[in-house]
Amino acid sequence: MIRLRDVCYVRLGTRDLDGATRYATAILGLEISERSRGAVYFKSDQREHTLCYFDGDPAEQVVAFEVDGRAELDAAGAELERLGHPVHRGSATEAGQRKVRDFIAFRDPTGNRIELAWRPQMGARRYHGERDAGITGFSHVGLCTTDAARDEAFWTTVCNARVSDRIGDAPLLRIDEIHHKIALFPTSRAGIQHINHQVESSDDVQRSFHFIRERGIPVVFGPGRHPTSSARFLYFEGPDGMVYEYSSGVRSIADELMYRERQFEFGPPGFCEWGAKPEIKEFKA
Ligand SMILES: [Fe+2]
């Protein structure tokens, strides 16, 4: 079994690197940790980077997970190959671009581009966002799935993910105590469905709602509260159609033995207990 320690970084291609950089700093509130030729790296917590925008096709979207060591990376590569997922071993240059010691790349059954990374670099400086969005860190991704049952089986049997709750057939998956680090949303394409950063409090969620709306950026869901994770949330549009989320107060599941996954309705009540209705295609029944 491939043991995922944590979600690590996201890499997004864009045709407008300057525009994406302006958005990531002035709107989202991230901090530039490095600019290199054709790529900008952003910090959101103690890690050296958790997001990278690079010159490229916006369809190029990668999410990476940290594994414990080189032996685990080697074993994961062999297991994925055995299961029919072609594996690319990262070159030293590619590992340098990701600020990790080593990594492998493959596609999950839907075709999402996934990387497993060893020894991601921590930052020497603490994160200080360009605006005070209250961000405490990069926390989870929504991934598209073309077959939720198949992909849930991949993440929970090939990897160590556990189902925390389901909204319809969409599973919210944990790999540590946090309620979910991966959420699978049924749709007809591959790609990252949304990117979450945690913020310190509900006040930060509400402040950002006004901040974002006043700047004419579409708010696509919220403010609201998820009945699943109990987090207060706000979803809004980013560059190239990406959806970003702030949330606060996500529950922890400390008791692995006693916890039982729960089923929620796929529709507005399953997504928000305050009555907010999503303008997100993948959240609509
Ligand atoms: Fe989310």
Side-chain angles (χ1 to χ4, degrees):
M1 177 168 288
I2 301 170
R3 204 162 83 85
L4 309 173
R5 278 176 62 99
D6 201 357
V7 64
C8 194
Y9 57 76
V10 163
R11 293 175 58 80
L12 301 174
T14 183
R15 302 287 184 213
D16 179 10
L17 189 55
D18 288 342
T21 299
R22 276 195 302 278
Y23 180 92
T25 52
I27 303 299
L28 198 52
L30 304 183
E31 178 187 5
I32 294 172
S33 67
E34 187 184 319
R35 288 176 190 268
S36 64
R37 203 171 59 186
V40 183
Y41 297 81
F42 302 93
K43 255 175 100 65
S44 64
D45 51 33
Q46 74 282 6
R47 294 172 280 196
E48 181 57 28
H49 91 293
T50 53
L51 173 67
C52 174
Y53 270 108
F54 60 92
D55 273 327
D57 185 342
E60 286 188 57
Q61 301 176 347
V62 176
V63 58
F65 296 89
E66 183 181 357
V67 296
D68 272 325
R70 178 166 272 162
E72 283 77 7
L73 199 61
D74 292 342
E79 176 67 358
L80 289 163
E81 288 275 6
R82 191 184 69 77
L83 293 169
H85 301 265
V87 171
H88 168 73
R89 187 86 191 203
S91 68
T93 302
E94 290 170 328
Q97 288 167 345
R98 288 155 178 78
K99 305 182 186 306
V100 299
R101 185 72 178 79
D102 201 355
F103 78 99
I104 60 174
F106 68 99
R107 289 179 187 270
D108 78 357
T110 280
N112 294 310
R113 294 171 58 150
I114 310 296
E115 294 180 356
L116 302 181
W118 174 48
R119 280 169 48 177
Q121 195 175 313
M122 300 300 282
R125 293 176 301 105
R126 66 180 172 182
Y127 154 74
H128 182 85
E130 179 145 325
R131 81 170 182 95
D132 181 15
I135 288 174
T136 56
F138 168 49
S139 187
H140 71 251
V141 289
L143 284 178
C144 293
T145 174
T146 54
D147 183 332
R150 176 200 62 200
D151 290 357
E152 180 186 310
F154 173 82
W155 290 102
T156 58
T157 61
V158 179
C159 303
N160 63 333
R162 285 89 71 197
V163 177
S164 292
D165 288 314
R166 287 192 192 80
I167 306 171
D169 292 328
L172 307 179
L173 304 169
R174 69 185 181 280
I175 55 177
D176 55 20
E177 289 190 3
I178 303 298
H179 181 273
H180 60 280
K181 289 285 173 84
I182 307 165
L184 300 178
F185 293 104
T187 186
S188 56
R189 66 182 175 99
I192 296 174
Q193 189 273 333
H194 75 269
I195 297 171
N196 170 280
H197 293 88
Q198 293 292 305
V199 293
E200 203 168 281
S201 71
S202 306
D203 292 333
D204 294 309
V205 172
Q206 192 66 34
R207 274 187 210 106
S208 279
F209 168 64
H210 295 293
F211 177 90
I212 282 165
R213 197 173 55 167
E214 280 166 13
R215 280 151 187 82
I217 291 159
V219 169
V220 291
F221 192 20
R225 182 168 189 161
H226 288 308
T228 47
S229 66
S230 84
R232 274 75 71 193
F233 65 79
L234 181 74
Y235 293 79
F236 47 99
E237 269 188 25
D240 304 305
M242 181 54 67
V243 172
Y244 282 96
E245 177 191 15
Y246 294 133
S247 68
S248 177
V250 64
R251 71 181 289 189
S252 288
I253 296 172
D255 194 340
E256 279 288 330
L257 291 177
M258 294 301 288
Y259 185 79
R260 289 196 62 201
E261 68 211 45
R262 301 166 302 168
Q263 179 69 50
F264 290 83
E265 177 186 349
F266 194 91
F271 281 103
C272 181
E273 62 183 64
W274 291 350
K277 300 210 169 36
E279 291 302 323
I280 300 172
K281 191 177 61 177
E282 292 81 15
F283 289 6
K284 289 183 173 179

